Amino acid sequence: MNETKHVHIVTFIKDKIKKGEWTIGSRLPSQRQLALLFEVNRSTIVTALEELTAEGLIQGKTGVATVVINNTWTLLEGNVPSTWNKNIKLGGHQASSVLVQEINEAESDPRLIQLSKGELAPDLFPLQQMKEVLHRVSDQLTSFGYEEPKGNRQLREAVSVHLKKRGINASPSSILIVSGALQALHLISVGLLQQGSTVYVEKPSYVYSLAVFQSAGVQLKGLPIDREGLSLEALQKVPFRPGHSVLYTNPTYHNPTSSLMSLSRRKTLRAVCEEKQLPMIEDDVYRDLWLDEPPPPALKARDTTGSMLYLGSFSKSLSAGLRIGWVVGPDAVIDRLADLKMQSDYGSSSLSQYAATEWLTSGLYEEHLTTIREALIYRRTLFVQALETYLAPYATWTVPTGGFFIWIQLHQAIDARSLFSQAKEAGLLLNPGSIYAEPSGSYIRLSYAYASHSELQEGIRRLALIIKTAIEK
Amino acid sequence: MNETKHVHIVTFIKDKIKKGEWTIGSRLPSQRQLALLFEVNRSTIVTALEELTAEGLIQGKTGVATVVINNTWTLLEGNVPSTWNKNIKLGGHQASSVLVQEINEAESDPRLIQLSKGELAPDLFPLQQMKEVLHRVSDQLTSFGYEEPKGNRQLREAVSVHLKKRGINASPSSILIVSGALQALHLISVGLLQQGSTVYVEKPSYVYSLAVFQSAGVQLKGLPIDREGLSLEALQKVPFRPGHSVLYTNPTYHNPTSSLMSLSRRKTLRAVCEEKQLPMIEDDVYRDLWLDEPPPPALKARDTTGSMLYLGSFSKSLSAGLRIGWVVGPDAVIDRLADLKMQSDYGSSSLSQYAATEWLTSGLYEEHLTTIREALIYRRTLFVQALETYLAPYATWTVPTGGFFIWIQLHQAIDARSLFSQAKEAGLLLNPGSIYAEPSGSYIRLSYAYASHSELQEGIRRLALIIKTAIEK
Ligand SMILES: Cc1ncc(COP(=O)(O)O)c(C=O)c1O
Ligand SMILES: Cc1ncc(COP(=O)(O)O)c(C=O)c1O
């Protein structure tokens, strides 16, 4: 039997059903007709139909025609929007959420120039070192099963040492290993925040492109951000309900603006939050990607009241595929988050945790940072040159001092959807500011970390053309 | 500075605070006093205090005494029970949930004889093969980052082939890779079930020991189970609200009873569910651990209406530390669960997914199954002999034909808590039936997979003593 043929047939029929071309209740062509159509044996058709039957898309009894059927899950979903569902639907940013899904899908299309992806290019991946790390992990391997609730002990010790170098005192018991910083946000939102409470965030912010807070029934309220970070003027005016408000901030190479909060702003922010008893989530996943000089210490490094949760991750600086990040906070809070983590997935992959430990303890991680820093500086220079060459007539930007995003302000607002679509048609993937809740429509986020050197330049050339055409219309 | 000393001091002070010995607002001893107390330099004390300060447990200003302080997160939690929190508290089985936490903690105590752990013993871990797998993964490695929403393509293809061998037709697009079957339950509960809907489950059932459904505001309703599996008589009497009910079943080597649903029961169950339009979650994580003969085909293998979600995992048969499992279902449902998975952790570890792929495609997994099957058969024999020797006067049991649990019925009910505590004092960890919502108090779940051969025997000897004493009282 031809395996490929059979998969081809299944896909073909699924497509028909998905697109609504073959509606519920409609009859499929007979097995003979299908065999003729696809030029295969009837046995291949039978296998394909069996598979579709098992998946509940079709139903056939001997002697009766095979028909497309409804299925009880669709029914369940149709009748019963889950809370999650409901929250997503009721949440304010449905349109952008569709756009985000579209971007996510397009990100696996190798034909597109990826100025969108928030991760390092394959050629910045430390392949030799990762292989070496895996060999070492393999050589030192002992049997492994379910891990401790807070994560592998050695890894937590290694993260503790790692954080110490960055000025943060955190004992292993105050660290929870998570499958990326996103999971930390997820656990915080379901575990610590009450429905109806408010998360204050920079606006624009990466979290607007997620459903994580909104899904937990928590409201986002945006505060303006400037070159020095979150605007404190706005924050000071907010009337907080104690116990119902949290601040989420991404002060170091902020996604999407790349803004870096100044030292003095950090001090004042901490003072304001302490005074207002406003707990804070500090998302610091870009810290290690400084390009010109190390950033000011994390807010957490001067946390004297235990009112901050601190998030880190290997996703941006090493590999997102490891799915290893950490949350640091007071023991009681970390205990609670660890319990929730156990309830949702029984802990992160042991293999990833071993590899992460080896990266940290061997010193390979710090070495790697030096290498990618150089590569990113080079990419930034290339990219900024391309911007100056092609985009200067249409836009302005600030050259980031860390991370890998450039936040472009167009002189003239262009509808986000149509800009996105036109760019995609021109083979270019970019993130309109709207998905981060930037309302004016005059911003886009570009990354110089992923596309190749020549693509970075070609991408900007095409983008300039698109903008020019849009404006002239 | 002495690193160990400093950790010691931090732990000491945390303990004092945790136990409430040093209450909020109370003054710490002075730095000088602490230095004397611990026989260290003041600099060591300063480091320890800095760490505690950063974690928000204490607060000190120069010139003023250091005091134990409240922290805003505790405040937040205290004022604001999160939905999760609330659900757990309102859920019916608070007591068992405390017991479950206690068991989880005790499971990392190497001094205890573990008749409790639901995983294979370290000496059943295929260390050499796992090392070999990691070497191969390393040799074939290319750069990796965020994975596709449904999980690594090669792994989904390998799982598809694996399931085919077990009679289940599932194309890669109808498979979602998850971080263990528990995560699948979590995603289903938040993504497909509405608050207020009902999940019908066998009673007793493993899911009663979890908070996963209850946390999503979903109610569990227990149905009796006998030697052939879920009782259909009870099921048939239930008046379902279409779109508001789901059946969760664990028909193959059921946790905790090890009962195996017969072929005819499977047929009728499927028919009943189809007639009642009752969607089903089939949890099949123990299938590969058959000991005497292969079990009847999965319910999913004959799913003609797409109304079943099917769960599998490597946790029981290979290693729980991989955190790799899968859900199979209609494409539309899998798409939705994949989207939720992306929203909660951006996918499972690439390394684990590569290792899992290699285990399946190399044939090493099937070979490994043969080996552990033999080992488990031997352990079962040993264990049953010990039961007959020591426990026959006090209890009855059925010898399982697969999996690794024996469900013991005591002739006389003994309070679950006190049985658990007495066993623990005697160096023995076991799971009282109560945590699976078995109400009579006359059952306990024992595992012959984890403890060493001699411990298996010694454990039963001690258990018999405890029971004897309890009865005589
Ligand atoms: C600011 C910020 N936080 C968190 C994340 C999530 O990263 P991960 O879950 O891969 O660690 C990202 C990734 O896009 C990010 O930009
Ligand atoms: C019946 C059953 N389902 C699911 C699980 C969860 O397994 P995992 O998440 O490790 O795959 C277990 C583990 O105890 C189980 O017994």
Side-chain angles (χ1 to χ4, degrees):
Chain A
M1 191 185 66
N2 189 323
E3 191 67 36
T4 333
K5 272 279 175 196
H6 139 248
V7 172
H8 175 64
I9 298 165
V10 169
T11 314
F12 176 87
I13 298 182
K14 278 191 178 175
D15 241 44
K16 289 281 179 207
I17 299 177
K18 205 178 269 172
K19 290 185 187 145
E21 295 177 22
W22 293 4
T23 54
I24 290 169
S26 69
R27 284 179 178 206
L28 255 61
S30 72
Q31 295 186 359
R32 198 154 1 136
Q33 288 171 320
L34 288 170
L36 279 171
L37 180 65
F38 290 105
E39 299 176 352
V40 294
N41 289 339
R42 256 182 77 172
S43 69
T44 309
I45 297 294
V46 169
T47 314
L49 295 183
E50 273 173 11
E51 188 163 321
L52 290 162
T53 305
E55 292 184 24
L57 292 170
I58 61 171
Q59 185 168 40
K61 295 218 172 74
T62 354
V64 188
T66 307
V67 292
V68 176
I69 56 162
N70 200 345
N71 78 59
T72 31
W73 288 104
T74 344
L75 207 72
L76 191 71
E77 272 188 274
N79 288 347
V80 190
S82 74
T83 37
W84 192 291
N85 220 337
K86 200 166 65 197
N87 285 318
I88 291 175
K89 280 185 191 141
L90 299 180
H93 61 290
Q94 209 183 343
S96 76
S97 142
V98 171
L99 195 52
V100 170
Q101 273 189 19
E102 215 176 310
I103 293 173
N104 284 345
E105 268 167 43
E107 282 189 344
S108 55
D109 187 340
R111 291 163 309 178
L112 296 173
I113 297 181
Q114 304 276 354
L115 302 184
S116 158
K117 270 196 182 171
E119 61 181 313
L120 295 176
D123 63 283
L124 298 182
F125 184 89
L127 188 58
Q128 283 321 312
Q129 292 95 307
M130 187 64 91
K131 284 176 176 232
E132 176 59 29
V133 162
L134 283 187
H135 275 276
R136 291 191 208 167
V137 166
S138 167
D139 293 343
Q140 296 159 24
L141 201 69
T142 53
S143 73
F144 59 85
Y146 292 108
E147 296 276 348
E148 281 180 55
K150 290 184 190 172
N152 181 273
R153 180 92 207 168
Q154 276 78 37
L155 177 54
R156 284 185 289 127
E157 275 163 11
V159 169
S160 172
V161 172
H162 165 78
L163 291 172
K164 186 116 196 159
K165 286 190 214 145
R166 279 139 184 87
I168 296 169
N169 286 313
S171 61
S173 68
S174 64
I175 296 170
L176 168 67
I177 301 301
V178 283
S179 301
L182 175 61
Q183 187 179 47
L185 291 177
H186 184 68
L187 296 172
I188 292 168
S189 72
V190 296
L192 299 178
L193 308 179
Q194 188 192 33
Q195 279 207 321
S197 56
T198 306
V199 179
Y200 291 88
V201 296
E202 288 116 1
K203 189 171 180 174
S205 168
Y206 160 72
V207 293
Y208 277 105
S209 71
L210 307 173
V212 64
F213 287 120
Q214 299 91 317
S215 297
V218 170
Q219 208 192 344
L220 293 187
K221 280 220 177 113
L223 298 170
I225 175 171
D226 60 33
R227 283 197 187 181
E228 283 192 60
L230 184 72
S231 153
L232 296 188
E233 230 176 291
L235 183 71
Q236 253 152 341
K237 282 191 206 131
V238 172
F240 298 109
R241 281 206 295 155
H244 286 74
S245 308
V246 176
L247 177 69
Y248 165 90
T249 178
N250 178 203
T252 307
Y253 317 128
H254 172 261
N255 182 356
T257 66
S258 286
S259 116
L260 173 67
M261 193 182 285
S262 64
L263 188 61
S264 70
R265 183 73 60 90
R266 283 171 199 249
K267 280 191 187 149
T268 326
L269 174 59
R270 222 163 21 228
V272 172
C273 286
E274 274 171 32
E275 187 215 309
K276 296 197 178 245
Q277 292 242 32
L278 181 66
M280 199 194 291
I281 303 160
E282 179 179 17
D283 186 337
D284 211 19
V285 301
Y286 294 100
R287 163 161 302 269
D288 287 347
L289 294 181
W290 57 265
L291 298 181
D292 302 322
E293 54 176 0
L299 291 156
K300 181 69 184 169
R302 304 278 184 277
D303 181 10
T304 54
T305 60
S307 60
M308 290 182 202
L309 288 178
Y310 178 83
L311 315 186
S313 168
F314 276 138
S315 291
K316 303 302 165 180
S317 50
L318 181 52
S319 166
L322 278 180
R323 304 311 304 130
I324 293 293
W326 43 88
V327 205
V328 180
D331 278 25
V333 178
I334 293 302
D335 283 348
R336 172 159 180 72
L337 294 176
D339 186 38
L340 293 182
K341 166 111 173 118
M342 283 305 265
Q343 287 180 33
S344 33
D345 67 7
Y346 284 136
S348 297
S349 154
S350 299
L351 291 181
S352 277
Q353 295 192 67
Y354 298 159
T357 309
E358 187 60 35
W359 270 103
L360 286 175
T361 54
S362 63
L364 281 171
Y365 178 64
E366 296 284 348
E367 265 176 45
H368 161 71
L369 287 180
T370 317
T371 316
I372 51 163
R373 194 161 288 143
E374 271 171 36
L376 284 177
I377 290 175
Y378 183 71
R379 284 168 162 268
R380 181 181 60 176
T381 308
L382 260 188
F383 201 58
V384 169
Q385 272 168 4
L387 289 175
E388 278 162 6
T389 309
Y390 299 112
L391 225 58
Y394 314 111
T396 49
W397 56 85
T398 306
V399 177
T401 58
F404 42 60
F405 297 126
I406 299 202
W407 186 237
I408 309 278
Q409 178 171 25
L410 304 175
H411 292 161
Q412 210 173 311
I414 299 178
D415 174 64
R417 264 240 135 263
S418 80
L419 182 66
F420 174 77
S421 310
Q422 283 167 45
K424 206 172 143 195
E425 258 166 51
L428 189 66
L429 203 61
L430 50 77
N431 287 5
S434 67
I435 67 178
Y436 308 107
E438 196 295 315
S440 76
S442 31
Y443 288 85
I444 49 183
R445 191 196 79 176
L446 302 177
S447 159
Y448 50 84
Y450 197 85
S452 70
H453 294 176
S454 59
E455 283 176 336
L456 285 177
Q457 293 167 314
E458 174 59 16
I460 294 304
R461 199 187 61 79
R462 292 190 204 168
L463 178 59
L465 271 177
I466 293 164
I467 294 172
K468 186 164 178 277
T469 319
I471 290 176
E472 282 168 2
K473 258 188 198 158
Chain B
M1 191 186 63
N2 189 322
E3 191 66 37
T4 331
K5 270 283 175 191
H6 139 247
V7 172
H8 176 64
I9 298 164
V10 168
T11 313
F12 176 87
I13 297 182
K14 277 191 179 175
D15 241 45
K16 288 282 179 203
I17 299 177
K18 206 178 266 171
K19 289 183 186 145
E21 295 178 21
W22 293 4
T23 54
I24 289 169
S26 69
R27 285 180 180 207
L28 255 62
S30 71
Q31 295 186 359
R32 198 153 2 138
Q33 288 170 323
L34 288 170
L36 278 172
L37 180 66
F38 291 104
E39 298 176 353
V40 293
N41 288 340
R42 257 181 78 173
S43 69
T44 309
I45 297 294
V46 169
T47 313
L49 294 185
E50 272 174 12
E51 189 163 320
L52 291 162
T53 305
E55 291 184 25
L57 291 169
I58 61 171
Q59 184 168 40
K61 295 220 172 74
T62 357
V64 188
T66 306
V67 291
V68 177
I69 55 161
N70 198 346
N71 79 59
T72 31
W73 288 103
T74 346
L75 206 72
L76 191 72
E77 274 187 272
N79 288 346
V80 189
S82 75
T83 37
W84 191 291
N85 219 339
K86 198 166 65 198
N87 284 320
I88 292 175
K89 279 185 190 139
L90 300 180
H93 61 291
Q94 207 184 345
S96 76
S97 141
V98 172
L99 195 53
V100 170
Q101 273 189 20
E102 214 176 313
I103 293 173
N104 284 345
E105 266 168 44
E107 282 189 345
S108 55
D109 186 342
R111 291 162 308 178
L112 296 173
I113 296 182
Q114 304 278 353
L115 301 184
S116 159
K117 268 195 184 173
E119 61 181 314
L120 296 175
D123 64 284
L124 298 182
F125 183 89
L127 188 58
Q128 283 321 311
Q129 293 96 305
M130 187 64 91
K131 284 176 177 233
E132 177 58 31
V133 162
L134 283 187
H135 275 277
R136 291 192 207 165
V137 166
S138 166
D139 293 343
Q140 296 158 24
L141 201 68
T142 53
S143 73
F144 59 86
Y146 291 108
E147 297 275 348
E148 280 180 54
K150 289 183 188 173
N152 181 272
R153 180 91 207 170
Q154 277 78 38
L155 177 54
R156 284 185 290 127
E157 275 161 13
V159 170
S160 174
V161 172
H162 165 79
L163 291 173
K164 187 117 199 161
K165 286 190 215 145
R166 280 140 185 86
I168 295 169
N169 286 314
S171 59
S173 68
S174 64
I175 296 171
L176 169 66
I177 302 301
V178 283
S179 301
L182 175 61
Q183 187 179 47
L185 291 176
H186 184 67
L187 295 172
I188 292 168
S189 71
V190 295
L192 299 177
L193 308 178
Q194 187 193 33
Q195 279 209 323
S197 56
T198 306
V199 179
Y200 291 88
V201 296
E202 289 116 0
K203 188 170 182 175
S205 168
Y206 159 71
V207 292
Y208 278 104
S209 72
L210 306 174
V212 64
F213 287 120
Q214 299 91 318
S215 297
V218 170
Q219 208 191 346
L220 293 187
K221 279 219 179 115
L223 298 168
I225 175 170
D226 60 32
R227 279 191 191 188
E228 284 192 59
L230 184 73
S231 156
L232 296 189
E233 232 176 289
L235 184 69
Q236 253 151 340
K237 280 190 207 132
V238 172
F240 297 110
R241 282 204 296 154
H244 286 76
S245 308
V246 177
L247 177 70
Y248 165 91
T249 178
N250 177 204
T252 308
Y253 318 127
H254 172 260
N255 181 359
T257 67
S258 286
S259 121
L260 174 67
M261 193 182 284
S262 65
L263 188 59
S264 69
R265 183 74 59 90
R266 283 171 201 250
K267 280 191 186 148
T268 327
L269 174 59
R270 221 164 20 228
V272 172
C273 285
E274 274 171 32
E275 187 214 311
K276 296 198 178 243
Q277 292 242 32
L278 182 65
M280 200 193 290
I281 302 162
E282 179 179 18
D283 186 338
D284 211 19
V285 302
Y286 294 100
R287 164 160 301 266
D288 288 346
L289 295 181
W290 58 265
L291 298 181
D292 302 322
E293 52 175 3
L299 291 157
K300 180 70 185 169
R302 304 279 184 277
D303 180 11
T304 54
T305 60
S307 60
M308 290 182 203
L309 288 178
Y310 178 83
L311 315 187
S313 168
F314 277 139
S315 290
K316 303 302 164 181
S317 50
L318 182 52
S319 166
L322 278 181
R323 302 313 303 128
I324 293 294
W326 43 88
V327 205
V328 181
D331 278 26
V333 178
I334 294 302
D335 284 348
R336 173 159 180 71
L337 295 176
D339 185 38
L340 292 182
K341 164 112 173 117
M342 283 305 265
Q343 287 179 35
S344 34
D345 67 9
Y346 285 135
S348 297
S349 154
S350 298
L351 291 181
S352 277
Q353 295 193 68
Y354 298 158
T357 309
E358 187 61 34
W359 270 102
L360 285 175
T361 54
S362 63
L364 281 171
Y365 178 64
E366 295 287 347
E367 265 176 45
H368 161 71
L369 288 179
T370 317
T371 316
I372 52 164
R373 193 162 288 142
E374 272 171 35
L376 284 177
I377 289 174
Y378 183 72
R379 284 169 162 267
R380 181 181 63 176
T381 309
L382 258 189
F383 201 59
V384 170
Q385 273 167 5
L387 289 174
E388 278 161 6
T389 310
Y390 299 112
L391 224 58
Y394 313 114
T396 51
W397 56 87
T398 306
V399 176
T401 59
F404 42 61
F405 297 126
I406 300 203
W407 186 236
I408 308 279
Q409 178 172 26
L410 304 175
H411 293 161
Q412 211 174 308
I414 299 178
D415 173 63
R417 264 242 134 260
S418 82
L419 182 67
F420 173 80
S421 310
Q422 282 165 50
K424 206 173 141 193
E425 256 166 51
L428 189 65
L429 201 61
L430 50 76
N431 287 3
S434 66
I435 67 175
Y436 308 106
E438 197 294 316
S440 76
S442 35
Y443 287 85
I444 49 182
R445 189 195 80 175
L446 302 177
S447 160
Y448 49 84
Y450 197 86
S452 70
H453 294 174
S454 59
E455 282 176 337
L456 286 177
Q457 293 167 312
E458 173 60 14
I460 296 303
R461 199 187 60 80
R462 292 191 203 167
L463 178 60
L465 271 178
I466 294 165
I467 294 172
K468 184 164 179 278
T469 320
I471 290 174
E472 283 169 0
K473 259 193 196 153

